Amino acid sequence: MKKIIYSILALGGLMATSCDMSIPEPNVIPEADGFQDVTDCLHYRNGIYSSLRISTTGSYVYITDLAMDQFVGTVQNGNVNNEVNTGNITSSIDQATTLWGNYYAGIVSVNYFLEKAQPILDELPEVQEYNIIQMKRYMAEAHFARAYYYFKLTETFCPLYTEQNKDTNVGVPLRTDYNPTSDKSTYPGRATLYATYKFIEDELELAYDGLKLFEEELPDEARVQSLVRNSSFLNTWIVRALQARTALLKGDYDAALTYANDVVENNTVYALVGLESTGQLLNKKYNYVEMWKKDEGSELMFRPYVDTQQLYIGSTGGGWLTKDEDMVNFIPVANVVNNYYSSDDLRGRAFIGITDLLNNGTVYNSVKTFIKWPGNESLYTVAGENNLRNMGKPFRLSEMYLIKMECEYMTGKGDPLATLNFFRRHRILKYEDETYAGAELLAQIRAERTKELIGEGFRFADCRRWKVEFTRVAGLGLGNLIVTGADNVHYTADDHRYVWPIPADEIQVNPQLVGQQNPGY
């Protein structure tokens, strides 16, 4: 692909990108039109949500997972994403450039909005209390979006947070102003890791405060718009979820447990799929499997709105599947299909399919495929043609239970075994509580997280913080169907590829980043 090389930190949010990440954002006011009132802010806010919607589907979800141990490429994939899957991670791969560029594009857009919105809020008279609350809500949502993008950059391009490296410049460049310029001396270098996490944490506090005001001062409106399952809008519980995720990535298990517990124990909105208010399990099989097909479920906290008229999303299922039923791009390795799920585990039924593949005249019968993102029929743009589009599911209650049990174990607080058994009763039919302790309990907790979140973009960061050493073994007996070099890919526990490189394009145009590349690239 031909690239136009600019520093994304210096532009107004535009960058050449690739694959299904290049999706136009609707409802954004051109800068020439400016911001004049609350209505203008509302319209621009729609663009912020559109960016969140885009960045929680497609390649944003699956690309780092394809680098890990669970999936192997087939020769049917047209050589798309094979450099990631074969372990050939370099500073020039499009995937790294695209993630870096598009997350910063979202940040630049938020910076512009916040700079323009603050004067409008400041000038509102006190009698316009409703508009004041709404403006603070819009700005809180923008702070959340900025925190989310910086979190994703940190998750992908930064090493583990430690006392030894927290004050070194291995974070990401932080920019909060909107100042397009060709003056390279103004481009920021990498912040310290401490400053990077502190910025994300502060942004989330601002997001929480603004959304809390909306929920407390306009409670009826909040209950209708955002304090609902499958919400298209942000609320304080979703902020708590990202706070828990951020603290877990940082290794702050106490804080992560506090935030996860807040969501698990105090919310009255969400419930693990199949869990009714009476505590009884009802039709577990149908509810859990259907959640992935129809994008609806009691545990879906944030589900950015999508319909066939606003199909500004990537194809998440397209990471693995194709529109042709006898062709797939990537398939789960033998360890996943043989060892992850028992016959009574609903996740096996929801995530693993069986199909016959055809390649160069050879039929491969009954191949296990990955169908977690199967395509939602309500999003088909042509009747009967699966476009492999699903709504994003960036925050689910299940993740909070997984964080809770892991942090209970790591801190010695709570009862991680009870949490694990409770969770499994909502995933495995006829489940009977097990008894584990010590290292075996930790292994079971990690296995549960791995089985639940497969294909949702968590594996890369989990393997890094758990210091997993692996050799990917296809073990499928499919011979020439598997991409050469994708089998037997090996990562050490401290592999440098667990931290992706700052794109070479960015270092070339930003003198402050010279000498700040991640080790190994």
Side-chain angles (χ1 to χ4, degrees):
M1 161 179 271
K2 182 178 179 181
K3 294 188 181 72
I4 303 174
I5 303 178
Y6 296 108
S7 172
I8 190 63
L9 303 173
L11 297 178
L14 300 176
M15 186 170 180
T17 57
S18 64
C19 304
D20 62 358
M21 293 181 177
S22 305
I23 303 172
E25 299 178 21
N27 303 318
V28 177
I29 301 173
E31 184 177 0
D33 295 341
F35 278 69
Q36 299 182 14
D37 54 28
V38 176
T39 301
D40 289 340
C41 291
L42 171 62
H43 291 160
Y44 198 95
R45 173 225 194 191
N46 293 339
I48 291 174
Y49 269 105
S50 294
S51 295
L52 280 173
R53 172 173 57 194
I54 294 165
S55 63
T56 54
T57 59
S59 299
Y60 295 97
V61 175
Y62 63 71
I63 195 63
T64 56
D65 271 7
L66 296 184
M68 295 292 96
D69 55 330
Q70 297 168 319
F71 302 103
V72 64
T74 79
V75 294
Q76 297 177 318
N77 66 25
N79 203 35
V80 174
N81 295 321
N82 277 341
E83 60 268 68
V84 172
N85 192 239
T86 56
N88 294 312
I89 310 296
T90 69
S91 62
S92 60
I93 61 170
D94 284 344
Q95 293 86 349
T97 301
T98 302
L99 287 178
W100 178 275
N102 284 1
Y103 287 138
Y104 270 113
I107 290 166
V108 170
S109 182
V110 170
N111 291 348
Y112 175 72
F113 171 77
L114 288 173
E115 283 193 6
K116 300 299 182 181
Q118 187 63 53
I120 294 173
L121 174 61
D122 293 341
E123 293 175 5
L124 287 175
E126 291 184 6
V127 293
Q128 293 191 27
E129 181 181 9
Y130 178 85
N131 282 339
I132 291 172
I133 293 170
Q134 291 288 17
M135 279 295 297
K136 289 184 177 180
R137 178 193 183 191
Y138 304 158
M139 295 175 71
E141 293 164 332
H143 283 294
F144 177 93
R146 189 159 65 181
Y148 180 78
Y149 297 135
Y150 273 121
F151 169 84
K152 294 300 293 184
L153 287 163
T154 303
E155 181 183 57
T156 308
F157 297 98
C158 296
L160 289 173
Y161 184 98
T162 68
E163 286 299 312
Q164 290 71 39
N165 74 356
K166 69 177 185 180
D167 294 319
T168 58
N169 293 96
V170 292
V172 296
L174 300 176
R175 190 149 203 172
T176 60
D177 63 323
Y178 178 77
N179 183 31
T181 177
S182 59
D183 182 359
K184 295 182 180 181
S185 67
T186 67
Y187 302 172
R190 297 181 75 166
T192 66
L193 203 53
Y194 174 85
T196 299
Y197 275 97
K198 181 67 164 55
F199 183 81
I200 296 169
E201 291 161 354
D202 289 347
E203 286 290 279
L204 291 173
E205 285 297 329
L206 291 170
Y208 186 88
D209 291 344
L211 292 170
K212 192 67 173 177
L213 175 68
F214 167 67
E215 292 165 10
E216 291 179 344
E217 298 299 320
L218 302 173
D220 291 339
E221 191 167 341
R223 280 193 290 270
V224 171
Q225 291 188 10
S226 62
L227 290 172
V228 293
R229 299 169 176 182
N230 311 295
S231 178
S232 298
F233 296 99
L234 298 168
N235 61 45
T236 51
W237 296 120
I238 298 167
V239 176
R240 285 285 187 252
L242 185 52
Q243 287 174 314
R245 189 184 293 179
T246 300
L248 182 68
L249 184 69
K250 186 181 178 183
D252 187 348
Y253 297 111
D254 284 300
L257 179 59
T258 297
Y259 292 131
N261 268 338
D262 195 9
V263 180
V264 168
E265 296 176 0
N266 296 323
N267 95 84
T268 58
V269 181
Y270 318 107
L272 289 177
V273 167
L275 183 63
E276 303 302 309
S277 59
T278 60
Q280 299 298 313
L281 300 181
L282 180 63
N283 202 3
K284 293 187 296 184
K285 175 183 175 182
Y286 176 84
N287 287 343
Y288 190 76
V289 175
E290 289 300 296
M291 179 177 74
W292 295 100
K293 295 178 179 179
K294 297 185 177 179
D295 304 329
E296 295 181 358
S298 61
E299 65 185 54
L300 300 186
M301 300 173 65
F302 183 40
R303 189 201 60 184
Y305 179 75
V306 180
D307 62 28
T308 54
Q309 303 304 310
Q310 300 186 63
L311 201 61
Y312 300 100
I313 56 173
S315 169
T316 309
W320 296 272
L321 307 173
T322 74
K323 295 179 181 179
D324 299 316
E325 293 184 358
D326 60 357
M327 297 179 65
V328 294
N329 294 320
F330 291 84
I331 52 178
V333 300
N335 184 45
V336 172
V337 297
N338 295 333
N339 301 325
Y340 272 30
Y341 309 107
S342 69
S343 60
D344 289 329
D345 195 319
L346 303 177
R347 292 168 296 196
R349 307 180 192 195
F351 303 164
I352 306 300
I354 301 177
T355 190
D356 296 334
L357 302 181
L358 175 63
N359 189 68
N360 287 334
T362 300
V363 177
Y364 299 84
N365 293 310
S366 302
V367 178
K368 300 289 181 65
T369 58
F370 188 68
I371 59 168
K372 190 172 192 174
W373 305 92
N376 185 335
E377 288 187 11
S378 70
L379 299 180
Y380 291 1
T381 52
V382 177
E385 290 188 13
N386 189 351
N387 56 12
L388 296 173
R389 260 55 175 184
N390 281 94
M391 298 181 185
K393 305 176 185 68
F395 293 95
R396 292 193 290 130
L397 182 64
S398 58
E399 183 196 356
M400 296 300 102
Y401 275 94
L402 295 165
I403 292 176
K404 173 180 168 65
M405 68 179 75
E406 182 174 349
C407 293
E408 285 175 334
Y409 180 92
M410 299 302 294
T411 62
K413 301 175 182 177
D415 189 342
L417 177 61
T419 306
L420 173 65
N421 282 323
F422 176 83
F423 185 81
R424 285 181 171 174
R425 289 197 293 271
H426 294 82
R427 295 295 184 260
I428 302 173
L429 299 170
K430 303 176 184 177
Y431 178 75
E432 295 183 3
D433 288 358
E434 297 280 359
T435 301
Y436 306 106
E440 177 61 17
L441 175 57
L442 179 60
Q444 293 292 330
I445 288 170
R446 289 179 175 179
E448 201 63 26
R449 180 178 174 89
T450 300
K451 290 186 288 186
E452 178 72 18
L453 298 180
I454 184 175
E456 295 186 61
F458 291 93
R459 184 64 173 167
F460 176 78
D462 285 345
C463 285
R464 180 177 62 213
R465 65 189 180 84
W466 293 338
K467 294 187 177 297
V468 172
E469 179 172 3
F470 71 81
T471 299
R472 183 198 302 132
V473 178
L476 299 167
L478 297 177
N480 293 333
L481 188 65
I482 302 301
V483 169
T484 301
D487 207 356
N488 296 311
V489 171
H490 181 74
Y491 273 59
T492 64
D494 294 305
D495 204 290
H496 75 275
R497 292 168 296 179
Y498 276 137
V499 182
W500 273 20
I502 297 175
D505 292 352
E506 189 67 33
I507 291 180
Q508 289 174 16
V509 296
N510 184 349
Q512 276 62 251
L513 291 176
V514 174
Q516 293 189 332
Q517 180 59 280
N518 288 319
Y521 298 105

